[in-house]
Amino acid sequence: MLPLWLEPLEWLVEAGGTILVVIALVAALLFSLALERGLFFHITYLRARQRLITRWVARPDHLSWSALTLREVWTRELITRLRRPLPWLKLLVTLCPLLGLLGTVTGMIAVFDSLAMAGTGQARAMADGVARATLPTLAGMAVAVVGLLFTSRLEQVIRREDQWLHDRMAEAVEDTHAQTS
């Protein structure tokens, strides 16, 4: 007898096989990365962005080629930190439907194998087997859709932040020059 907290895992294995458990683990990793990015943005990134703007405004030179290059390097570095897990998120999103397909194929092989052993007269058993075989595809597609929504939202936030950061740094310099004039 399994502990109470492992019963959902047992149901998962019974319902869709071990591939469904792998999809659940990939989903947990995907959503953990998504949560980490949300926390990173709201806690670490916003503070780092403000420090960067303050550091840029404190510089005496804002107009030379080297100053503009330095500003670009600093903004790229900060945006790269925001973008860092994006390739991993995309990989996990791509992996989910493929794992679902793998689960369906292995499930259908098991259905056809059981039909070969028992004969073709058991339509109910075949229907149950097909339903169990398609569950991993459903799970893989559902996780991929949610992951794709998050990934595209993160890309949108990164583009917006990149533009906002460039605009704000230019405005900060203009404000500083307007105050000194």
Side-chain angles (χ1 to χ4, degrees):
M1 186 78 186
L2 286 174
L4 188 61
W5 62 274
L6 280 178
E7 285 182 13
L9 190 60
E10 181 184 24
W11 179 86
L12 217 56
V13 173
E14 282 180 25
T18 56
I19 297 294
L20 203 54
V21 174
V22 172
I23 292 171
L25 293 173
V26 169
L29 181 59
L30 179 69
F31 298 134
S32 296
L33 282 172
L35 179 63
E36 183 274 334
R37 272 302 92 178
L39 292 173
F40 174 83
F41 181 78
H42 289 291
I43 296 171
T44 307
Y45 174 79
L46 292 177
R47 289 180 187 155
R49 181 179 75 181
Q50 188 57 47
R51 282 192 308 269
L52 176 63
I53 293 170
T54 304
R55 193 165 97 187
W56 173 249
V57 169
R59 285 183 50 81
D61 176 27
H62 298 109
L63 302 175
S64 70
W65 177 85
S66 60
L68 295 175
T69 303
L70 183 62
R71 182 180 83 173
E72 186 64 29
V73 167
W74 285 352
T75 56
R76 285 290 134 230
E77 183 180 292
L78 188 58
I79 293 298
T80 300
R81 286 179 56 200
L82 189 58
R83 188 184 310 258
R84 189 169 291 144
L86 202 54
W88 289 106
L89 289 167
K90 288 181 177 181
L91 174 71
L92 293 174
V93 166
T94 303
L95 194 61
C96 285
L98 297 175
L99 286 172
L101 183 60
L102 178 65
T104 297
V105 169
T106 57
M108 291 304 292
I109 289 172
V111 167
F112 293 138
D113 191 37
S114 68
L115 281 177
M117 296 293 216
T120 58
Q122 297 181 358
R124 174 80 176 142
M126 184 175 145
D128 286 343
V130 169
R132 286 180 61 191
T134 56
L135 190 59
T137 299
L138 173 68
M141 294 300 285
V143 171
V145 165
V146 173
L148 187 61
L149 289 173
F150 175 78
T151 303
S152 62
R153 175 70 178 138
L154 179 61
E155 287 176 328
Q156 179 186 13
V157 166
I158 290 168
R159 280 191 304 274
R160 184 194 70 208
E161 281 299 312
D162 190 18
Q163 185 62 49
W164 187 93
L165 192 56
H166 280 89
D167 292 347
R168 183 64 189 116
M169 289 177 83
E171 288 172 13
V173 169
E174 290 172 9
D175 292 345
T176 303
H177 287 297
Q179 290 172 0
T180 59
S181 298

